[in-house]
Structure formats: structure tokens, C-alpha cells
């Protein structure tokens, strides 16, 4: 007979407290490895980080833990089958590479020498993402110890990437290469966060991303604006008009077909967003902005989380030096990015942009458009049974109602969704003050251990309440 819920929660907390010290010592050891994937000099450190994690996962109990090579940095794969052949299969995603960091960037201590101050662990990677990966190791041990199991209640797999901070250039190919071994009913992404320390939340979606650079060409060289200006097309003027035409008077993207397929917010989702304690003035201070702007009819959170966007990331053309140079420039350029939401196809958006641009240009202007590899959006329906398990597990850990957010940014999780055909769910405990990518990155130790608790409760809940339909 299983324990009552209160006893089960107490047992998990007791086990975690008993093993807290060793867990944090191990995490600190991992954080000392400067696994900066963006800097070639640290390539041996990224490999050392992967080797360290694979060895630690075997020590945790995973019968399979391997380092997978890519043309870039290595990933780590681990698997721990359940004794129950009918159990759902869960794949946990995270990454072990980190952003560059140096003391002179503004750190109060050495970024790769972890220190604890005021119950916070400071180090590069403490929150993004080594801490959030590592809480699953103690979580699965607590799950086993408090249930008397010798294997997890689910078929548990981990894929920990080594190039996320460098744009995941080889990740999709890696997933496609190993799709059979990575097959799962659901994917849990532990590379995200919560609303705040006292408002536990579950993220239900991330936007996709399509990026392009558009170059416009006019005269074969810069020419005199007195002799030729007003009589030949100016590519700098053309690029300005192109940018001005990107949005209509309601701040909607004016590219025909851009909104095709967009999954609209439901009334319930809008209600849930509105329940969050959002302070727009504080948000503006964080954004260093003097005002909000965006698509009419939507709140700030709805614009950031659930609506697609088009942004000008850079624009240039003509003379940029001191003083004046009276020319008609020969070329101009603009870099655009499009954040995409569920239902949008990046390839369709790219084709729509390619079709739209020529109509905005005058005769005599030649153009080129180059799109970078895209990231697809992902969204978990609020009524998905696996999402309800995540919410229940987090609710037991935090002893508080769990609310819902989305993520305005983009990540490689959608590649897992696309290739494996599995829904993506998010489980993260980081808070905005953790300072991802910034000096003095930290993780709140109390929240980190709540992540351990959530992980410990999640596997049994999934096994009990959900079986993937064949």
C-alpha cells in the first residue's frame, strides 16, 4: 500500500535534506569546469564536462550513460528503463555548456569557483543550466528511496546538450541520428524558469524563431548626390521604406500570410496570464524602456508570450563616418527576426517574406535575402495529462498553487518535438534574479531543492495517471 500524500512528501524532503551536502558538493565540482562552448580554447573543458556528467549519472544508477560526439561539442545521453514495461517513456533535456565569464566582467567572485552567500550558490552555470540538469540526479534517487523501487516508475532518458549556448548548430542532426534511442512519449525541458520565488509556475510554450538578412543594391558604386540624387533609386531610402512597411498602424506585421495558422489564445489562457502578479512599471525598468508598444488588443504578457513578432535587429547603408559625405550609397541592409507562435511554419513565413519584399522596392533596386536555420515554436495544451502531472508534482513540492507562463524566447526544444513527435513540457525553478548570461549568476538553493522534490514526485505521478495512447 502506498503512503498517504503527506507522508510521501515528508519522506522525500527528509531524504533530500540528508543528501543535500553531497549533492551540492558534486554540483560545485561540476560548476568548476569552464565548459564554454563558444570559445575554442575551452573545447577540452566542454569534453571534460560531458565526461564528468556521464560518470556521475552512472554513479547515480543509470545503467547507460554515454558521451555522444558531434562535429562540435559533445552531448551526454543516459537511460534508466523501468521494470514496468508499460510505463511511459520520458526524455529530459538540458545542456551542460555555459556562457563565457570572467572576473573582470563584474563578478564579485571567480565565476568558476562556486561560492554560497545568503543561501544562494553563485557560479557560471548555477542556474543556466547545470543546476537545473543536476537536480534530476538527486530527484530520481529520492524517488527510488522513498517508494522502495529499484528502477524508476517511468522509462527515464536524459539528453544533455553541449552546444546550446552556441546556438545548437548540430543538435537537430544529433536528434535525427539517434531518433530511435531518443524515442519518448513526452519531453521534459529543464532549461527555463519560474515567475518568482513565491509564485511557482510552469511554462507551457516557447516561441520559434526565423531570422534573415536583406541586402539592397542600387548604383554599382557610391555616386554623387548632387549629380545623381533624386534621379536614381537610393538603396538606403529603400531599406528605410521597407522597414516602415513591416507593420501596419495597429502594430501588426503587414506581410501577407504571416499570421497563417497562428493558434489564438483561449479565454482561459488569457485569464491565467492575468492572474500573475505582473508589475508593468517594474518590467519597463528591467527593459530599460520608457514605454510599451505592440500589437493592438493584447496585453504586454500576451504580446511577449503568445503573439508573433517582427523586429529590426540592425539596419545600415551609406556613409557612417564623422562629418558628411554627400552620396547615393551603392547598398544598404537590414537584419530581421521573426518570433513565431504555435501553428506557424517557419518555412511558410520565410516564403511569405520573400514574396513580400520585391513589392516594397522601387525599380532599379536589386535585393538578396538569406534566412538562417529556423527554430520552430512549441506549445503544450493546458489539458494535456502529462502537464497535469508536472503541475501536481510542483504543487506538492512548493505547497502552493502553480500558475502558468510561456517563454518569449526560443530554444532547441522544438527540434525534439518535431523529430520525436512528442509533446514538450517545461520544468524549471530558476527566477529572473538569477542573472542568466550576466555577472554573478546564481541559483536560490531553496528553489534548487524544490526542483529536486518536483523531480522526485513527477515520475510516480506520470506512471500512475498517464499511459501514452498506442
Amino acid at each position: 500500500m502506498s503512503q498517504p500524500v503527506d507522508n510521501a512528501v515528508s519522506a522525500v524532503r527528509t531524504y533530500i535534506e540528508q543528501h543535500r551536502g553531497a549533492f551540492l558538493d558534486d554540483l560545485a565540482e561540476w560548476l568548476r569546469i569552464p565548459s564554454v562552448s563558444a570559445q575554442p580554447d575551452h573545447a577540452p573543458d566542454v569534453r571534460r564536462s560531458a565526461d564528468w556528467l556521464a560518470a556521475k549519472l552512472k554513479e547515480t544508477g543509470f545503467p547507460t550513460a554515454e558521451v555522444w560526439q558531434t562535429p562540435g561539442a559533445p552531448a551526454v545521453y543516459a537511460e534508466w528503463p523501468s521494470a514496468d514495461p508499460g510505463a511511459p517513456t520520458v526524455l529530459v533535456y538540458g545542456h551542460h555548456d555555459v556562457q563565457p565569464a570572467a572576473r573582470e566582467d563584474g563578478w564579485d567572485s571567480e565565476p568558476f569557483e562556486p561560492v554560497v552567500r545568503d543561501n544562494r550558490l553563485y557560479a557560471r552555470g548555477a542556474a543556466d543550466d547545470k543546476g537545473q540538469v543536476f537536480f534530476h540526479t538527486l530527484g530520481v534517487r529520492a524517488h527510488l528511496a522513498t517508494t522502495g523501487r529499484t528502477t524508476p516508475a517511468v522509462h527515464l532518458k536524459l539528453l544533455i546538450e553541449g552546444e546550446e549556448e552556441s546556438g545548437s548548430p548540430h543538435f537537430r542532426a544529433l536528434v535525427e541520428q539517434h531518433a530511435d534511442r531518443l524515442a519518448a512519449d513526452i519531453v521534459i525541458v529543464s532549461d527555463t524558469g519560474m515567475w518568482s520565488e513565491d509564485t511557482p509556475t510552469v511554462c507551457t510554450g516557447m516561441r520559434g524563431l526565423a531570422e534573415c538578412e536583406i541586402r539592397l543594391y542600387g548604383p554599382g558604386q557610391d555616386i554623387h548626390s548632387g549629380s545623381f540624387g533624386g534621379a536614381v533609386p537610393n538603396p538606403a531610402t529603400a531599406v528605410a521604406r521597407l522597414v516602415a512597411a513591416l507593420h501596419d498602424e495597429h502594430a501588426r506585421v503587414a506581410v501577407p500570410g504571416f499570421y497563417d495558422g497562428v493558434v489564438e489564445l483561449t479565454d482561459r489562457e488569457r485569464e491565467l496570464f492575468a492572474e500573475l502578479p505582473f508589475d508593468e512599471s517594474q518590467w519597463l525598468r528591467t527593459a530599460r524602456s520608457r514605454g510599451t508598444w505592440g500589437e493592438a488588443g493584447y496585453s504586454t504578457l500576451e504580446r511577449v508570450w503568445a503573439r508573433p513578432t517582427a523586429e529590426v535587429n540592425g539596419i545600415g547603408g551609406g556613409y557612417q563616418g564623422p562629418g558628411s559625405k554627400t552620396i547615393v550609397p551603392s547598398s544598404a541592409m537590414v537584419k530581421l527576426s521573426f518570433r513565431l507562435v504555435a501553428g506557424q511554419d517557419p518555412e511558410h513565413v520565410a516564403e511569405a517574406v520573400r514574396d513580400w519584399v520585391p513589392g516594397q522596392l522601387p525599380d532599379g533596386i536589386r535585393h538578396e535575402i538569406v534566412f538562417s536555420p529556423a527554430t520552430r515554436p512549441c506549445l503544450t495544451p493546458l489539458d494535456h495529462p502529462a502537464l497535469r502531472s508536472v503541475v501536481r508534482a510542483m504543487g506538492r513540492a512548493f505547497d502552493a498553487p502553480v500558475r502558468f507562463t510561456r517563454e518569449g524566447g526560443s530554444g532547441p526544444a522544438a527540434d525534439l518535438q518535431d523529430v520525436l513527435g512528442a509533446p514538450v513540457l517545461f520544468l524549471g525553478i530558476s527566477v529572473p534574479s538569477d542573472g542568466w548570461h550576466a555577472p554573478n549568476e546564481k541559483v536560490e538553493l531553496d528553489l534548487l531543492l524544490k526542483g529536486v522534490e518536483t523531480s522526485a514526485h513527477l515520475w510516480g505521478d506520470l506512471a500512475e495517471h498517464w499511459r501514452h495512447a498506442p
Side-chain angles (χ1 to χ4, degrees):
M1 180 179 295
S2 62
Q3 301 180 77
V5 170
D6 289 347
N7 288 345
V9 170
S10 176
V12 165
R13 288 179 182 163
T14 298
Y15 183 89
I16 291 170
E17 186 58 34
Q18 290 171 344
H19 294 83
R20 169 190 174 120
F23 167 74
L24 293 179
D25 287 346
D26 284 343
L27 176 57
E29 183 179 322
W30 194 21
L31 291 169
R32 290 189 183 98
I33 302 174
S35 49
V36 181
S37 61
Q39 296 177 339
D41 288 350
H42 283 292
D45 295 315
V46 181
R47 172 63 199 228
R48 187 157 57 96
S49 171
D51 290 340
W52 186 96
L53 179 58
K56 188 59 61 175
L57 291 173
K58 287 184 179 178
E59 182 182 312
T60 297
F62 282 83
T64 298
E66 303 169 353
V67 174
W68 284 358
Q69 299 299 327
T70 77
V76 175
Y77 171 77
E79 183 174 357
W80 197 338
S82 174
D84 177 4
T89 299
V90 181
L91 174 66
V92 175
Y93 166 85
H95 62 91
H96 68 95
D97 64 321
V98 299
Q99 282 281 312
R103 181 71 181 267
E104 56 267 27
D105 295 337
W107 286 75
D108 295 333
S109 56
E110 292 296 333
F112 295 104
E113 185 51 52
V115 297
V116 175
R117 298 192 297 268
D118 300 324
N119 205 32
R120 296 164 177 153
L121 175 62
Y122 289 86
R124 176 60 87 219
D128 181 24
D129 183 36
K130 288 180 177 177
Q132 300 203 92
V133 167
F134 203 59
F135 73 59
H136 287 290
T137 62
L138 183 53
V140 70
R141 287 165 51 202
H143 163 63
L144 297 176
T146 57
T147 59
R149 301 183 60 93
T150 57
T151 64
V154 298
H155 302 301
L156 186 58
K157 302 179 181 181
L158 274 66
L159 179 61
I160 312 303
E161 185 189 358
E163 295 185 309
E164 195 274 345
E165 299 292 8
S166 299
S168 302
H170 305 105
F171 183 68
R172 187 181 182 98
L174 180 72
V175 175
E176 290 173 342
Q177 178 185 352
H178 296 286
D180 289 345
R181 296 189 67 185
L182 294 171
D185 297 312
I186 60 169
V187 175
I188 299 288
V189 173
S190 285
D191 185 23
T192 184
M194 305 193 310
W195 180 263
S196 68
E197 294 178 45
D198 54 4
T199 306
T201 54
V202 173
C203 176
T204 60
M206 296 185 77
R207 293 194 291 190
L209 178 64
E211 302 173 272
C212 71
E213 180 174 317
I214 304 173
R215 290 197 167 271
L216 306 185
Y217 301 95
Q221 63 182 30
D222 294 349
I223 56 177
H224 193 284
S225 65
S227 300
F228 301 102
V232 297
N234 185 318
T237 302
V239 82
R241 291 184 178 278
L242 179 71
V243 168
L246 192 58
H247 296 89
D248 67 16
E249 66 274 20
H250 303 295
R252 283 178 60 86
V253 179
V255 176
F258 179 78
Y259 291 92
D260 290 354
V262 165
V263 176
E264 299 289 343
L265 277 166
T266 66
D267 290 342
R268 179 56 179 156
E269 286 172 317
R270 301 186 85 166
E271 290 170 1
L272 291 171
F273 288 176
E275 289 178 0
L276 292 165
F278 178 59
D279 183 337
E280 187 164 86
S281 60
Q282 177 60 48
W283 182 85
L284 281 170
R285 286 193 291 272
T286 302
R288 304 293 179 92
S289 176
R290 290 185 289 272
T292 61
W293 179 90
E295 187 180 0
Y298 296 91
S299 70
T300 297
L301 288 182
E302 290 167 354
R303 290 168 180 165
V304 172
W305 289 344
R307 298 301 296 168
T309 66
E311 294 293 341
V312 177
N313 307 130
I315 186 170
Y319 181 64
Q320 306 289 324
S324 64
K325 185 178 183 183
T326 53
I327 59 168
V328 175
S330 62
S331 64
M333 56 75 65
V334 62
K335 292 178 181 287
L336 303 177
S337 64
F338 303 90
R339 297 286 176 172
L340 311 179
V341 299
Q344 285 182 293
D345 179 0
E347 293 182 5
H348 175 79
V349 168
E351 194 60 35
V353 172
R354 290 190 180 97
D355 289 344
W356 173 75
V357 167
Q360 311 306 311
L361 305 178
D363 290 341
I365 294 292
R366 179 174 64 87
H367 74 281
E368 297 175 352
I369 304 178
V370 177
F371 272 86
S372 302
T375 300
R376 300 181 70 87
C378 55
L379 178 66
T380 308
L382 289 176
D383 60 354
H384 195 286
L387 177 61
R388 290 199 289 267
S389 286
V390 174
V391 171
R392 280 191 296 266
M394 182 172 276
R396 296 174 80 186
F398 281 85
D399 296 322
V402 176
R403 304 190 186 281
F404 297 92
T405 64
R406 293 194 197 177
E407 173 59 58
S410 308
D415 287 332
L416 293 166
Q417 176 181 268
D418 284 353
V419 176
L420 304 181
V424 171
L425 298 94
F426 299 87
L427 170 56
I429 49 77
S430 183
V431 289
S433 63
D434 284 344
W436 291 25
H437 298 197
N440 298 313
E441 179 185 347
K442 55 87 176 171
V443 67
E444 301 283 337
L445 291 182
D446 288 344
L447 296 185
L448 184 64
L449 297 179
K450 290 299 182 186
V452 176
E453 280 190 56
T454 303
S455 176
H457 294 308
L458 179 56
W459 314 132
D461 194 291
L462 281 168
E464 180 179 356
H465 294 285
W466 185 51
R467 286 290 191 272
H468 181 61

